């Protein structure tokens, strides 16, 4: 398939180089002992936010930040009744993350919208690029910025504290974010939300396909489990007398893992963090804290299996004489993408001369929350080796640019209806 003439301009080398420079520059902000880590309400986050706001202004956007710290770059439309055609992703990273996860959707959106403004003039519908804050949940709860925009961020999440005991509210206010007007009302002025993102898995690369069009986003459950036993002397306490919180945790993790594997299908289960107290080589652990993350695109299976996992932990607790405290961190249902936007993305890929593959997203995204205030569409570009959430995360400049080209064409279809 050949790329259409009018998209060739966007595919000129200039934009690809500019996109790469944005990603490389952002990717340097927040490098520390854990590799790249940019969490909300930190100096490095603000530095990245100012970089992005500056680029938005250079491309002719009006820029503002909302009460929680989402950055919204906006190009006004000619029709002041028309609702906004929006795109974007998140600006924060996981601990030790890569430079494409989230940032491709922000930097790519700026370039796509900047190209459209320059090439076609003012759109009919306003166009927005949104850089969401706190999608990864690496400091506070996940999807916090898009939850705020959807009017779903609850008061209890604002008082949730990070590992240093600082609440989201205190951290935000320390950086001048008002957290008002309270995110109690979802936006009602958005026509569509499109998110360009790296696939973060192996499918597109294995198929040799440059574009993924997302049919739906998987559902997620995350929890933090605290296992309370009793510390004892490692040498003198007979095995039958122990209330070993670390051993119990290990047995629970093994039992939950087996339960998920035996359930078949697409369910995935991860224990990403574990800590034990007092953490001494010759002391039976009194307390263990670990997280679980379980995902499945089928809401019924997700619900049923999640309660099964809880039963598994209670069985082990009874056998090992410990107590379990189960604290839910995140619960999002699987979300379908708009069939209309999927068709528009497919038409855009064809116009860009690119093959595409329809697929489910195994990763969560801000689009999950955007679906609460607008129809959503998502498109993927390949991840080399299927790797992500690590320093090895990589997508080549031309693969990134292919995604931006399809995004730009889809936004054109939506925001320049009169010129389309
Ligand atoms: O966890 C996720 O799927 C996303 O990267 N926050
Ligand atoms: Mn991520
Ligand atoms: Mn992401």
């Amino acid at each position: 398939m050949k790329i259409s003439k009018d998209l060739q301009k966007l595919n000129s080398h200039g934009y690809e180089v500019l996109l790469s420079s944005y990603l490389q520059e952002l990717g340097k902000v927040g490098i520390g002992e854990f590799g790249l880590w940019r969490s909300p309400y930190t100096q490095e986050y603000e530095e990245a936010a100012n970089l992005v706001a500056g680029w938005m202004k250079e491309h002719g956007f009006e820029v503002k930040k909302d009460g929680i710290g989402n950055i919204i770059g906006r190009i006004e439309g000619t029709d002041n009744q028309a609702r906004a055609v929006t795109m974007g992703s998140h600006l924060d990273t996981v601990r030790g993350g890569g430079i494409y996860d989230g940032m491709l959707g922000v930097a790519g959106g700026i370039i796509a919208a900047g190209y459209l403004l320059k090439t076609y003039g003012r759109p009919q519908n306003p166009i927005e690029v949104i850089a969401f804050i706190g999608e990864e949940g690496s400091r506070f709860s996940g999807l916090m910025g898009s939850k705020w925009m959807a009017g779903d961020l609850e008061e209890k999440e604002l008082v949730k504290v990070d590992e240093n005991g600082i609440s989201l509210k205190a951290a935000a206010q320390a950086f001048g974010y008002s957290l008002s007007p309270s995110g109690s009302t979802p936006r009602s002025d958005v026509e569509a939300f499109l998110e360009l993102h790296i696939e973060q898995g192996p499918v597109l690369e294995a198929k040799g396909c440059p574009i993924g069009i997302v049919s739906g986003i998987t559902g997620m459950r995350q929890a933090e489990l605290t296992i309370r036993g009793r510390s004892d002397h490692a040498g003198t306490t007979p095995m039958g007398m122990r209330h070993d919180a670390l051993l119990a945790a290990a047995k629970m993790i093994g039992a939950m893992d087996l339960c998920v594997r035996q359930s078949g299908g697409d369910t995935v289960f991860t224990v990403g963090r574990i800590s034990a107290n007092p953490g001494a080589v010759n002391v039976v652990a009194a307390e263990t804290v670990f997280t679980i993350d379980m995902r499945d695109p089928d809401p019924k299976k997700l619900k049923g299996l999640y309660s099964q996992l809880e039963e598994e932990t209670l069985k082990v607790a009874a056998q090992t004489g410990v107590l379990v405290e189960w604290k839910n961190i995140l619960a999002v249902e699987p979300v379908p993408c708009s069939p209309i936007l999927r068709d528009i993305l497919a038409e855009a890929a064809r116009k860009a001369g690119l093959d595409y593959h329809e697929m489910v997203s195994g990763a969560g995204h801000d689009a999950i929350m955007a679906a609460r205030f607008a129809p959503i569409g998502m498109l993927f570009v390949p991840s080399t080796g299927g790797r992500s959430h690590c320093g090895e995360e990589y997508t080549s400049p031309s693969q990134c640019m292919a995604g931006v080209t399809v995004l730009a064409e889809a936004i054109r279809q939506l925001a320049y209806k009169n010129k389309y």
Side-chain angles (χ1 to χ4, degrees):
M1 285 182 276
K2 236 169 63 44
I3 183 167
S4 67
K5 223 172 44 335
D6 47 23
L7 276 179
Q8 276 158 15
K9 275 190 289 292
L10 177 55
N11 248 349
S12 76
H13 199 57
Y15 279 110
E16 184 178 306
V17 169
L18 183 64
L19 176 61
S20 281
S21 70
Y22 284 173
L23 292 168
Q24 295 302 327
E25 204 171 337
L26 271 179
K28 289 189 196 108
V29 180
I31 296 281
E33 59 176 313
F34 300 106
L36 178 61
W37 183 24
R38 215 171 34 238
S39 64
Y41 316 123
T42 56
Q43 290 307 335
E44 54 273 19
Y45 191 88
E46 289 305 296
E47 190 188 327
N50 293 336
L51 263 181
V52 163
W55 296 335
M56 287 176 168
K57 284 179 191 140
E58 281 167 25
H59 285 271
F61 296 44
E62 296 295 316
V63 183
K64 70 176 175 56
K65 290 183 184 178
D66 67 10
I68 198 166
N70 296 315
I71 308 166
I72 298 131
R74 184 177 169 100
I75 299 169
E76 282 309 335
T78 53
D79 172 355
N80 57 19
Q81 300 303 315
R83 294 184 301 166
V85 171
T86 64
M87 58 185 139
S89 193
H90 56 95
L91 196 52
D92 62 311
T93 76
V94 291
R95 219 186 282 235
I99 68 166
Y100 302 89
D101 177 3
M103 280 150 276
L104 176 61
V106 174
I110 293 171
I111 288 191
Y115 155 78
L116 290 169
L117 182 62
K118 198 163 149 214
T119 313
Y120 300 98
R122 202 152 284 291
Q124 185 182 341
N125 296 61
I127 292 177
E128 284 181 5
V129 177
I130 306 168
F132 286 109
I133 192 167
E135 188 271 348
E136 294 289 7
S138 72
R139 182 176 182 193
F140 301 111
S141 29
L143 301 169
M144 59 180 245
S146 44
K147 244 188 202 177
W148 170 272
M149 201 172 268
D152 273 2
L153 195 69
E154 296 167 41
E155 185 57 30
K156 69 176 182 197
E157 292 180 274
L158 294 181
V159 297
K160 194 170 174 302
V161 295
D162 66 7
E163 57 195 19
N164 301 314
I166 302 168
S167 73
L168 191 167
K169 194 171 217 167
Q173 286 165 346
F175 277 84
Y177 296 109
S178 63
L179 290 173
S180 68
S182 86
S184 54
T185 43
R187 286 190 67 169
S188 56
D189 61 339
V190 178
E191 173 135 328
F193 175 77
L194 290 181
E195 185 164 3
L196 164 62
H197 205 285
I198 51 171
E199 178 204 334
Q200 300 181 293
V203 173
L204 292 176
E205 183 179 62
K207 286 183 170 297
C209 188
I211 297 290
I213 294 180
V214 178
S215 52
I217 306 172
T218 192
M220 297 199 279
R221 293 285 186 276
Q222 292 177 350
E224 182 182 78
L225 278 71
T226 302
I227 314 302
R228 293 194 173 86
R230 188 183 73 187
S231 36
D232 275 311
H233 194 295
T236 55
T237 315
M239 295 304 269
M241 278 177 60
R242 297 177 178 213
H243 302 268
D244 184 335
L246 218 173
L247 179 71
K251 286 174 176 268
M252 288 174 188
I253 294 167
M256 290 193 273
D257 177 74
L258 187 63
C259 192
V260 168
R261 287 176 195 277
Q262 285 175 340
S263 74
D266 301 326
T267 316
V268 286
F269 173 78
T270 312
V271 173
R273 173 166 45 86
I274 187 164
S275 60
N277 272 316
V281 64
N282 57 355
V283 178
V284 174
E287 183 179 280
T288 313
V289 179
F290 64 91
T291 58
I292 63 167
D293 173 310
M294 189 182 85
R295 309 185 187 197
D296 195 288
D298 170 359
K300 265 194 26 257
K301 184 174 180 198
L302 188 67
K303 189 162 180 279
L305 199 52
Y306 195 58
S307 25
Q308 236 183 294
L309 296 190
E310 202 161 354
E311 280 154 33
E312 291 296 326
T313 59
L314 294 174
K315 267 192 248 162
V316 171
Q319 291 155 6
T320 52
V322 297
L323 296 173
V324 189
E325 183 196 340
W326 182 293
K327 206 165 52 178
N328 291 316
I329 303 176
L330 185 71
V332 281
E333 294 313 309
V335 169
C337 290
S338 146
I340 296 170
L341 294 180
R342 286 164 60 180
D343 287 347
I344 286 179
L345 285 167
E347 160 69 7
R350 280 190 290 272
K351 285 208 71 168
L354 294 166
D355 206 2
Y356 61 86
H357 170 65
E358 291 248 324
M359 61 193 291
V360 171
S361 171
H365 301 285
D366 286 307
I368 291 175
M369 289 298 151
R372 298 186 183 180
F373 55 79
I376 61 164
M378 269 209 89
L379 73 150
F380 283 162
V381 290
S383 290
T384 302
R387 304 291 308 283
S388 179
H389 279 190
C390 57
E392 293 79 8
E393 185 179 280
Y394 179 73
T395 299
S396 75
S398 59
Q399 288 173 320
C400 289
M401 201 57 221
V404 173
T405 305
V406 175
L407 177 69
E409 179 52 25
I411 296 289
R412 189 168 86 105
Q413 291 184 35
L414 288 162
Y416 289 84
K417 296 182 188 72
N418 49 344
K419 297 186 184 163
Y420 187 66

